[in-house]
Amino acid sequence: MTEILTADPTGIAHAAELLRAGVLVAFGTETVYGLGADATDTRAVAAIFAAKDRPHFNPLICHYADAEAAFAQVAANPTARLLAGALWPGPLSLVLPRRADCPVALLAGAGLDTLAVRVPAHATALALLRAVGRPVAAPSANRSGQISPTTARHVLDGLAGRIAAVLDSGPCPVGVESTVLDLCGARPLLLRPGGVTVEAIEALVGPVGRGIPHTVAEAARTLRSPGLLVSHYAPDAPVRLDADAVRADEALLAFGPKLQGAGAEFQLSASSDLAEAAANLFIGLRALDAQVARLKLSAIAVMPVPEHGLGLAINDRLRRAAAPRAGAG
Ligand code: TXA
Ligand code: MG
């Protein structure tokens, strides 16, 4: 049985005890629910991969209560300090070299000499991290290849019976995962668009590499971020992008003034607000996936979302949801 813990001091203390004892606890962050384990405990980290059925080569993000705790374990450069000062706590993960004495299990970083670290902007998550007093490795709390959970209910849908507890802090306000930024090379490299926009990062530190790598070293860094598996955020139903019309046998994921005639629909944001759409994205995909199965529809049709700001992260997740299904994600 998976225990549901209330996000009050008692629940948080209990969740911290469980984590310190080496078992798995899912907890809410501002982005999505994470499946947490004591990052310094290799067996606990291994249990994450088992619970998720996740390929072992995928490195995990380590969560800290503050930048000081994070930078004691990875080597921060001036760019990292500047970004952390401005954007932490927040939905930004920084990939930096592990320090020689870094206590995080190698398995958490999939054997890489770098580690993705972040400080979540979420009161319950921060209280939990302070109570644990150790880095907490946490991928999104879903089975591998499935949609990231943004409520405790979603966590249980995928992981009930496989984890000790979920700390229920309500729906996640941001709704898409953190931006992953590699700071190990000459210029920052975007490995995954997410909750902090590239525009916000570039306003602070100048140009960020994305898309086509400039150098062989950058290509290598991009390739070894295997979270970039193309088919990753996959509902069961086929997903059709950039719909400018919708059929009665399709479920519509709408953005802004909606198309008429769908067999089912979910509105990401009636007012075309990208932050609202991001917060609703995974809830909408899950809801429509269930409708497609229940009403025997053929696909989820997705209206276009603009490719700027948080739209970058939303479109990235939607393209993965629509990609031909590979093995694992
Ligand atoms: O918002 C989030 O980031 C959530 C919450 C729980 O914090 N976590 C999350 O973790 O989305 P996960 O494991 O689902 O995604 C981690 C991403 C993957 O794309 C992974 O490949 C990349 O970060 N990553 C982690 N460590 C890395 C490293 N050392 N080098 C390159 N990429 C790394
Ligand atoms: Mg994930």
Side-chain angles (χ1 to χ4, degrees):
M1 270 303 291
T2 298
E3 228 180 320
I4 302 173
L5 304 174
T6 310
D8 58 17
T10 312
I12 292 168
H14 185 45
E17 250 171 61
L18 291 171
L19 284 168
R20 291 176 62 89
V23 297
L24 303 184
V25 177
F27 63 99
T29 76
E30 81 278 38
T31 58
V32 300
Y33 273 73
L35 176 53
D38 174 354
T40 66
D41 179 341
T42 302
R43 290 179 56 162
V45 173
I48 289 180
F49 295 111
K52 280 183 65 98
D53 291 328
R54 185 177 193 164
H56 275 231
F57 45 74
N58 219 348
L60 309 174
I61 294 169
C62 286
H63 298 71
Y64 296 84
D66 52 50
E68 200 190 332
F71 294 159
Q73 304 194 347
V74 293
N77 50 37
T79 308
R81 290 190 189 284
L82 203 160
L83 288 172
L87 299 172
W88 278 357
L92 174 67
S93 295
L94 301 177
V95 175
L96 291 163
R98 295 170 66 108
R99 289 186 183 276
D101 56 355
C102 178
V104 171
L106 275 174
L107 184 60
L112 299 174
D113 52 7
T114 59
L115 209 56
V117 298
R118 88 175 188 98
V119 177
H122 192 279
T124 306
L126 289 175
L128 177 66
L129 290 166
R130 277 192 295 270
V132 174
R134 297 178 195 153
V136 172
S140 51
N142 52 281
R143 295 275 194 104
S144 188
Q146 295 183 348
I147 298 168
S148 296
T150 52
T151 66
R153 180 74 252 160
H154 290 170
V155 173
L156 293 172
D157 286 347
L159 297 175
R162 293 182 155 232
I163 61 175
V166 53
L167 183 59
D168 184 355
S169 52
C172 303
V174 174
V176 290
E177 296 89 339
S178 62
T179 303
V180 181
L181 193 69
D182 182 333
L183 296 180
C184 298
R187 62 170 187 165
L189 201 57
L190 180 71
L191 297 181
R192 178 177 75 180
V196 167
T197 64
V198 185
E199 290 90 333
I201 295 168
E202 290 188 326
L204 292 163
V205 299
V208 167
R210 53 188 131 157
I212 299 160
H214 276 194
T215 62
V216 173
E218 282 192 3
R221 281 156 62 205
T222 307
L223 281 174
R224 76 181 184 202
S225 187
L228 301 174
L229 281 174
V230 175
S231 166
H232 188 113
Y233 299 89
D236 290 328
V239 175
R240 183 169 72 83
L241 298 180
D242 290 323
D244 52 11
V246 64
R247 297 194 311 259
D249 69 339
E250 288 180 318
L252 179 70
L253 189 64
F255 179 77
K258 65 176 191 258
L259 299 168
Q260 301 299 320
E265 60 189 41
F266 184 96
Q267 177 59 270
L268 288 175
S269 171
S271 60
S272 305
D273 180 83
L274 288 169
E276 184 187 21
N280 284 330
L281 178 64
F282 293 133
I283 294 168
L285 281 171
R286 277 173 191 269
L288 292 184
D289 207 21
Q291 294 281 57
V292 165
R294 195 170 65 80
L295 303 170
K296 302 201 171 18
L297 304 177
S298 67
I300 298 172
V302 182
M303 290 177 62
V305 174
E307 188 77 12
H308 62 77
L310 280 177
L312 226 64
I314 295 171
N315 284 322
D316 172 76
R317 306 305 185 272
L318 287 171
R319 279 191 285 272
R320 289 161 195 270
R325 307 299 150 76

